[in-house]
């Protein structure tokens, strides 16, 4: 499938057949080192994130005087923020408070509304990694968080979509984030306060979820905001999740 034939959203609406067709096709193979991976999905209708959803992260926020939410805290990242797994990430000229947030994300595969918790995982097409880059001063200027979460290039996803049938338990994986090779975040995804099933049931109470929608599950403890160790131009940020691969991005100055 190429950009000319169809979007990833259309591919996901008939995933089993499309996957079988792709596996049967005699397509040429290329070494990973010889290609530039783009975002595995660049046209979702929705790009949603949940705040303070790892218990350890909520605890560190509470120590800084930020109350732990009493319910799921959702925000929108504009889809124009999406970037590929090795793309450069821009440090905005209007702020020096650029932060990282390594996250497990998933892609909806079935159009759904009012999903029961026990049916929720069957709505997922696959999993990927997200770095939910956040401009903290812009984020806290608005209770919706949207502007501080939506600068161009600040929604890195990839390196590919690992289909749900290839992930035994997405909520028992090791997530690690490094800045210039130094580990900053490390957690198992089982530290989620609101599990993926809870997220889908909650969101689909409000809105119809569509194939291709990207939903991120929150970030562990260790964000830069804790000690004000903001990202700078030249920094390299890598996020890896076992079984899903890794993404790695260099921070560049705004032009």
């Amino acid at each position: 499938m190429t950009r000319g034939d169809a979007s990833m959203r259309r591919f996901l609406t008939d995933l089993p057949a499309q996957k079988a067709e792709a596996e049967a096709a005699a397509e040429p193979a290329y070494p990973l080192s010889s290609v530039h991976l783009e975002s595995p999905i660049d046209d979702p209708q929705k790009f949603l994130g949940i705040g303070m959803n790892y218990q350890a992260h909520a605890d560190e926020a509470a120590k800084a005087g930020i109350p732990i939410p009493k319910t799921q805290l959702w925000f929108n990242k504009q889809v124009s923020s999406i970037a590929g797994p090795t793309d450069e990430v821009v440090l905005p000229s209007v702020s020096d408070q650029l932060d990282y947030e390594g996250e497990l994300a998933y892609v909806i595969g079935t159009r759904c509304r009012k999903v029961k918790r026990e049916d929720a995982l069957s709505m997922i097409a696959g999993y990927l990694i997200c770095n939910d880059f956040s401009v903290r001063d812009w984020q806290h200027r608005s209770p919706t968080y949207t502007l501080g979460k939506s600068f161009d290039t600040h929604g890195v996803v990839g390196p590919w979509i690992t289909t749900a049938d290839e992930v035994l338990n997405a909520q028992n994986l090791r997530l690690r984030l490094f800045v210039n090779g130094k580990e900053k975040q490390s957690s198992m995804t089982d530290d989620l306060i609101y599990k993926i099933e809870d997220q889908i049931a909650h969101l689909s109470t409000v809105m119809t979820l569509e194939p291709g929608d990207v939903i991120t599950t929150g970030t562990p403890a260790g964000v830069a905001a804790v000690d004000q160790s903001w990202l700078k131009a030249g920094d390299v940020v890598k996020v890896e999740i076992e079984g899903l691969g890794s993404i790695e991005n260099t921070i560049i100055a705004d032009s």
Side-chain angles (χ1 to χ4, degrees):
M1 184 187 71
T2 67
R3 285 174 182 265
D5 332 292
S7 72
M8 181 57 75
R9 280 195 289 123
R10 288 180 58 192
F11 183 90
L12 292 174
T13 59
D14 190 20
L15 182 59
Q18 296 279 11
K19 187 178 179 184
E21 181 179 332
E23 290 173 346
E27 298 289 343
Y30 302 94
L32 188 59
S33 59
S34 71
V35 300
H36 173 77
L37 294 178
E38 297 183 347
S39 167
I41 181 161
D42 63 358
D43 63 346
Q45 288 192 358
K46 306 180 194 69
F47 189 5
L48 302 171
I50 186 170
M52 288 189 284
N53 195 38
Y54 276 73
Q55 188 63 58
H57 179 46
D59 291 342
E60 72 178 358
K63 291 178 182 177
I66 301 173
I68 297 175
K70 292 182 170 57
T71 186
Q72 297 184 36
L73 176 63
W74 287 96
F75 57 85
N76 177 60
K77 286 180 78 75
Q78 296 297 317
V79 297
S80 54
S81 72
I82 289 177
T86 61
D87 288 348
E88 294 175 328
V89 169
V90 177
L91 172 64
S93 60
V94 295
S95 176
D96 60 1
Q97 296 187 17
L98 179 61
D99 206 343
Y100 51 78
E101 294 191 21
E103 306 197 11
L104 168 71
Y106 54 93
V107 180
I108 296 296
T110 301
R111 190 174 192 270
C112 57
R113 178 85 197 282
K114 298 181 180 178
V115 179
K116 295 179 180 178
R117 189 181 190 278
E118 58 267 28
D119 298 328
L121 293 183
S122 66
M123 303 297 116
I124 296 173
Y127 298 88
L128 67 170
I129 303 170
C130 176
N131 197 333
D132 172 24
F133 286 97
S134 305
V135 182
R136 295 301 188 191
D137 50 348
W138 281 70
Q139 174 185 340
H140 295 304
R141 288 174 187 170
S142 168
T144 66
Y145 291 1
T146 298
L147 293 183
K149 293 286 189 175
S150 297
F151 278 79
D152 286 356
T153 74
H154 288 189
V156 177
V157 291
W160 38 70
I161 298 172
T162 302
T163 52
D165 61 307
E166 297 178 325
V167 181
L168 181 62
N169 183 359
Q171 296 175 116
N172 190 34
L173 304 176
R174 171 65 64 182
L175 183 157
R176 303 172 77 197
L177 180 144
F178 304 85
V179 178
N180 301 326
K182 181 178 180 180
E183 185 178 273
K184 294 288 190 175
Q185 293 184 292
S186 179
S187 177
M188 297 298 291
T189 55
D190 65 358
D191 194 37
L192 294 178
I193 297 171
Y194 297 104
K195 305 304 183 185
I196 293 173
E197 298 94 320
D198 302 311
Q199 296 171 25
I200 293 175
H202 189 71
L203 287 170
S204 68
T205 300
V206 176
M207 66 190 78
T208 300
L209 299 177
E210 302 281 358
D213 287 351
V214 176
I215 302 173
T216 69
T217 61
T219 198
V223 294
V226 173
D227 60 4
Q228 310 286 290
S229 57
W230 308 116
L231 293 169
K232 305 178 299 298
D235 286 345
V236 178
V237 187
K238 180 179 182 180
V239 189
E240 61 182 34
I241 299 180
E242 65 174 305
L244 303 185
S246 64
I247 58 178
E248 184 172 308
N249 306 91
T250 299
I251 309 301
I252 63 169
D254 204 351
S255 58

